[in-house]
Amino acid sequence: MRVGTKTQDHLGNEFQNFVVMCRHYGHFPSTITYRMEHGMSLEQALTTPSRGKIVYNGKTFKDIRDLCTQLKMKKHYTCIVKRLRNGMSLEEAITNTKRFHHTINFNGETYLNRTDACQKLGITIYKLRTMMNKGFDAVESLSILLEKKKGVQIGDQWFATTQDICDHFGLALGTVRKNLRCSTDPEVRLILMQKSQRYKHSSK
């Protein structure tokens, strides 16, 4: 719709132009344009409230920001506004937990989110994000990072560095790293290291 040409709303009412129609319904033209570009019909775009009093669960709020503040969801204000612009109902925008909560179950414990898990496990959130950017999920990333933090377990022994493993088994660094990549199971790793030891001795 062009700004300078006459246009009609979903009811057939004619307006001087698009801007006048938007203002008639109490919206900025950019809001209506955004909504329609993201899948809303003209009727949805015009009739979905973007500001002013809002009634939710029988309680009246001054606007979306006031609602978020009183419901202790202030940090989710931007996300809720975007959801409403994209056509979600107010109920869906508030109760949909897809992005609000990222509970993580790890080693029998439940953490509120990634930050909570990192703080309690003594891991930096930066390292977790780095691992996840490599394709690991949150649980896999935490397992790998915890292992690196504690060292490497082979059998019932813990080694602080891969060099310590090399010294203990008398193997080359490349061989040790290859064996570690093959499995995360401590017993399997022990078998691999012992197998490499035997192969090294038999080849002499």
Side-chain angles (χ1 to χ4, degrees):
M1 284 179 254
R2 293 182 182 178
V3 173
T5 59
K6 288 186 177 181
T7 188
Q8 291 183 337
D9 65 8
H10 58 288
L11 299 174
N13 300 316
E14 191 172 273
F15 297 87
Q16 183 179 352
N17 54 47
F18 179 67
V19 174
V20 173
M21 180 184 70
C22 294
R23 288 175 178 168
H24 173 79
Y25 281 90
H27 298 296
F28 290 112
S30 58
T31 300
I32 302 304
T33 300
Y34 179 93
R35 289 176 174 181
M36 294 182 69
E37 286 177 348
H38 287 77
M40 274 194 180
S41 66
L42 178 62
E43 180 178 0
Q44 289 176 315
L46 291 173
T47 57
T48 300
S50 59
R51 60 181 186 271
K53 291 184 179 181
I54 294 172
V55 177
Y56 179 70
N57 282 350
K59 188 175 180 180
T60 302
F61 302 89
K62 291 188 294 184
D63 50 29
I64 294 293
R65 191 177 296 279
D66 180 46
L67 178 145
C68 292
T69 300
Q70 293 197 42
L71 294 182
K72 296 183 179 179
M73 300 176 71
K74 195 172 182 179
K75 65 180 180 180
H76 301 306
Y77 169 75
T78 301
C79 183
I80 290 175
V81 169
K82 286 182 178 178
R83 288 175 173 181
L84 292 173
R85 282 180 173 178
N86 289 336
M88 269 195 186
S89 68
L90 182 60
E91 181 68 27
E92 289 176 318
I94 292 172
T95 60
N96 188 326
T97 59
K98 184 177 180 182
R99 288 185 57 189
F100 291 165
H101 303 291
H102 301 279
T103 55
I104 296 174
N105 294 313
F106 179 70
N107 285 351
E109 296 289 334
T110 300
Y111 301 94
L112 295 176
N113 49 43
R114 297 168 190 168
T115 302
D116 182 47
C118 287
Q119 288 175 344
K120 291 178 179 176
L121 295 172
I123 295 170
T124 65
I125 190 68
Y126 171 77
K127 288 183 178 179
L128 179 64
R129 287 172 180 163
T130 300
M131 293 301 300
M132 294 183 71
N133 287 337
K134 292 180 180 178
F136 298 101
D137 62 27
V139 172
E140 290 172 333
S141 298
L142 288 171
S143 297
I144 294 169
L145 291 170
L146 270 184
E147 182 173 297
K148 287 182 178 179
K149 182 183 175 184
K150 293 189 297 184
V152 180
Q153 185 179 9
I154 299 177
D156 58 358
Q157 287 184 278
W158 285 91
F159 298 88
T161 65
T162 50
Q163 187 58 53
D164 290 340
I165 301 172
C166 294
D167 296 339
H168 180 81
F169 290 98
L171 300 172
L173 182 60
T175 301
V176 168
R177 286 177 173 170
K178 181 181 177 181
N179 288 341
L180 292 177
R181 286 196 296 268
C182 288
S183 176
T184 57
D185 186 286
E187 295 303 321
V188 174
R189 283 178 167 178
L190 178 60
I191 293 170
L192 290 171
M193 295 300 174
Q194 291 172 338
K195 184 178 179 181
S196 295
Q197 273 184 314
R198 289 194 296 271
Y199 176 79
K200 180 181 178 182
H201 293 312
S202 64
S203 62
K204 287 183 178 181

